[in-house]
Amino acid sequence: MLTVDLQGGFGEKGRTSVAVSDGDTRIMLDAGIKVGATGDEYYPVLARPVGDIDALFISHAHEDHIGALCRLIREGYTGPIYMTAETRTEMPATLAQYADAAELWEFMPKDAQIRLFEPGERLSAGALAIETGASGHVVGGVWFSVEGQGRRVVY
């Protein structure tokens, strides 16, 4: 069964994050922070340990969608991070403003971890098929449609 865990950003502004799983593969869509919050409330509330995430997909480089990236890496995320070239270009400046200063340089995503894609490309993680398209929100911003087990989640 395809499951969806809302990890932040619903009923609040910030820390946007959604996890989608088919039971074998678990992906995370966005890893945002909540501006103005402190402590654990600043970061997404992960439904399962970061080591259970097989792939991370970033929709765009605003802080409420990418600001927790260094924290995930500090907590042990080593998998691929999918984003557009425009998001990749903007990522360092956004993280410099919103990531924990102690984590910023030590846990900045490595180039080898980043997988660039163009809006409109079809991606996959395990048996999950991920369609992408330009969102129109910002340059390089995308939406995701995740399909698995005959069900679809659009984000």
Side-chain angles (χ1 to χ4, degrees), residues 38-152:
T38 58
D40 289 341
E41 193 175 324
Y42 191 66
Y43 299 103
V45 179
L46 301 183
R48 296 195 3 217
V50 71
D52 288 350
I53 302 167
D54 296 299
L56 175 60
F57 296 81
I58 302 294
S59 64
H60 63 287
H62 286 167
E63 69 277 1
D64 56 330
H65 294 265
I66 198 171
L69 198 48
C70 294
R71 174 58 57 104
L72 290 178
I73 293 169
R74 188 197 86 179
E75 291 181 2
Y77 181 70
T78 59
I81 303 168
Y82 292 85
M83 64 181 67
T84 64
E86 294 88 353
T87 298
R88 170 66 181 99
T89 298
E90 294 177 20
M91 177 185 71
T94 302
L95 293 177
Q97 287 185 308
Y98 295 98
D100 183 298
E103 298 172 351
L104 182 60
W105 303 116
E106 186 175 356
F107 299 103
M108 181 69 81
K110 307 290 185 233
D111 287 340
Q113 231 177 331
I114 297 172
R115 309 284 193 276
L116 297 179
F117 68 92
E118 294 285 330
E121 277 189 55
R122 289 184 59 93
L123 308 169
S124 65
L128 296 175
I130 299 100
E131 289 183 50
T132 68
S135 68
H137 178 56
V138 296
V139 174
V142 295
W143 51 260
F144 298 109
S145 175
V146 182
E147 187 172 355
Q149 299 179 332
R151 297 196 176 257
R152 180 182 301 264

